[in-house]
Amino acid sequence: MALATDRQLRRRLKLRDLDTLIAVSQSGSMAKAAALLSLSQPAVSKAMAELEGTLGVPLFDRTSQGVVPTAYGRALLKWSAAVFDDVRQGVNEIEFLADPGTGELRIGASEPMLVGVLPAILDRLSRRYPRMSFQIAPFAGTALQQRDLLERRIDLAIGRVQERAELGDFHTEILFDEPLLVVAGRNNPLVRRRRVTFAEIADEPWTLPRPETLAGQMIADAFRANGAEPPRSGIVCNSVGMHFALLDTGRFLAMFPGSLLRFGTQGDSISVLPVDLGIRAEPVGISTLKNRTLSPAAQIFVECARDVVKPLTRRAGTMKRAD
């Protein structure tokens, strides 16, 4: 199969064709795509046939139930999303250059960041740039964070990062070390103790994040590092708000990141127990898609984040995988 030359692609390939390609893939049908795009079915079918002719490869397999992308189609779909994202980035940059106080930023964040350091960053940014728009997408694990970055649903993500993980398509800047602390409500009897060992609290009632999350995995490591298994009973939930409510009863214990106590509005209602977990928890960083140019709004966010977390900074650096 003869693929189109670069000059042919520049002349023949249109953004409208790529938009139609995405619509056909998402709907699984030429007819449904036509309705979605307010076009006739013959117009959609002709556009896809011409696109296949330009590229010299089949983009869809036709079945009695509809159409499904071929390997060629899936490859073009991936880069079509990148093309539209780059166009959007270009429009945002033009808007920013015309008016530096505007711009939109899509941020992915883990639950502790949502109630800790992220509001502090956004508060400072929104004061400086009141017309800037922020879209926040919570995520519950590294895999979901990476998916959203790869699919360009978010511009950047802030949260704990796994330094020993293969970064592949991602660039991560470490912002600060993030200790894991054992905490209790102010009226918990353990708060009055000057010394507490892990053995003494291992069987206490706990409220913990789900075990498949990065936070859950770190907490399990902390238990095992101290010769205990993570509790089989207790409360398992990814909501920091629920953890605070349970701590307030005076019965439960939890493990919180240090930044949540530094920036969270409910930090005054709990106390840190004098327990040395004996582990080094994963640091907090900002992750972006490798080789994707940051928008002006994203650059401003990163600079503001560095400034806000200075009180927590012990070390800073960059994690990259060599090409």
Side-chain angles (χ1 to χ4, degrees):
M1 289 177 286
L3 297 178
T5 66
D6 182 64
R7 179 171 295 179
Q8 288 173 323
L9 288 176
R10 288 173 182 270
R11 289 202 313 265
R12 300 178 188 174
L13 201 58
K14 304 178 182 66
L15 287 179
R16 182 174 59 188
D17 295 334
L18 299 182
D19 186 47
T20 304
L21 174 82
I22 293 172
V24 172
S25 174
Q26 291 176 341
S27 63
S29 161
M30 299 286 181
K32 291 179 181 178
L36 182 66
L37 297 170
S38 299
L39 297 172
S40 67
Q41 181 174 343
V44 170
S45 298
K46 180 182 178 183
M48 291 301 92
E50 290 179 349
L51 185 57
E52 289 178 326
T54 296
L55 297 174
V57 294
L59 299 175
F60 291 99
D61 285 328
R62 277 72 172 173
T63 70
S64 57
Q65 286 77 37
V67 296
V68 293
T70 63
Y72 306 114
R74 291 193 298 271
L76 186 58
L77 283 164
K78 180 181 73 172
W79 290 107
S80 295
V83 166
F84 284 112
D85 180 69
D86 286 341
V87 170
R88 186 187 67 83
Q89 293 278 65
V91 171
N92 285 344
E93 186 166 346
I94 290 171
E95 291 175 346
F96 187 86
L97 291 171
D99 183 354
T102 62
E104 180 186 77
L105 186 63
R106 300 168 300 170
I107 304 166
S110 59
E111 175 74 11
M113 298 295 107
L114 293 174
V115 293
V117 68
L118 183 56
I121 298 170
L122 295 177
D123 177 57
R124 183 173 300 187
L125 268 180
S126 64
R127 290 176 187 272
R128 293 178 182 174
Y129 305 97
R131 295 190 304 281
M132 192 174 287
S133 171
F134 303 95
Q135 303 291 330
I136 312 301
F139 60 79
T142 303
L144 295 178
Q145 167 192 316
Q146 293 179 347
R147 181 204 65 189
D148 285 350
L149 283 169
L150 281 171
E151 295 180 0
R152 300 176 184 242
R153 297 178 182 176
I154 57 176
D155 301 306
L156 56 84
I158 182 169
R160 287 194 187 268
V161 294
Q162 294 175 288
E163 289 184 286
R164 58 182 175 270
E166 285 293 324
L167 297 180
D169 296 317
F170 308 101
H171 169 86
T172 299
E173 176 180 335
I174 302 299
L175 290 177
F176 57 90
D177 280 336
E178 179 77 299
L180 196 59
L181 306 172
V182 179
V183 296
R186 291 287 190 182
N187 54 346
N188 190 302
L190 290 168
V191 170
R192 296 188 289 272
R193 300 267 298 274
R194 291 186 177 182
R195 184 174 180 275
V196 180
T197 66
F198 195 87
E200 292 174 302
I201 63 173
D203 294 326
E204 289 288 314
W206 287 87
T207 174
L208 301 171
R210 296 188 63 82
E212 68 270 15
T213 64
L214 180 55
Q217 294 166 12
M218 286 191 298
I219 289 173
D221 289 343
F223 271 87
R224 295 186 179 110
N226 287 276
E229 285 296 313
R232 294 180 178 273
S233 58
I235 311 298
V236 177
C237 177
N238 284 337
S239 168
V240 173
M242 174 170 268
H243 295 322
F244 270 115
L246 290 168
L247 290 171
D248 197 47
T249 67
R251 296 182 53 242
F252 290 86
L253 302 181
M255 291 190 195
F256 278 0
S259 66
L260 182 57
L261 306 186
R262 171 66 175 78
F263 292 102
T265 59
Q266 294 179 284
D268 292 340
S269 66
I270 61 176
S271 295
V272 178
L273 298 185
V275 180
D276 182 8
L277 295 176
I279 65 167
R280 179 180 177 273
E282 306 286 4
V284 166
I286 293 177
S287 298
T288 56
L289 190 59
K290 197 174 181 180
N291 298 324
R292 182 191 185 201
T293 302
L294 288 182
S295 68
Q299 294 175 32
I300 289 174
F301 177 89
V302 173
E303 291 168 3
C304 184
R306 292 173 185 151
D307 191 45
V308 168
V309 305
K310 278 182 180 177
L312 304 177
T313 303
R314 296 179 183 174
R315 67 181 179 86
T318 300
M319 294 162 49
K320 293 181 181 178
R321 194 183 84 173
D323 293 324

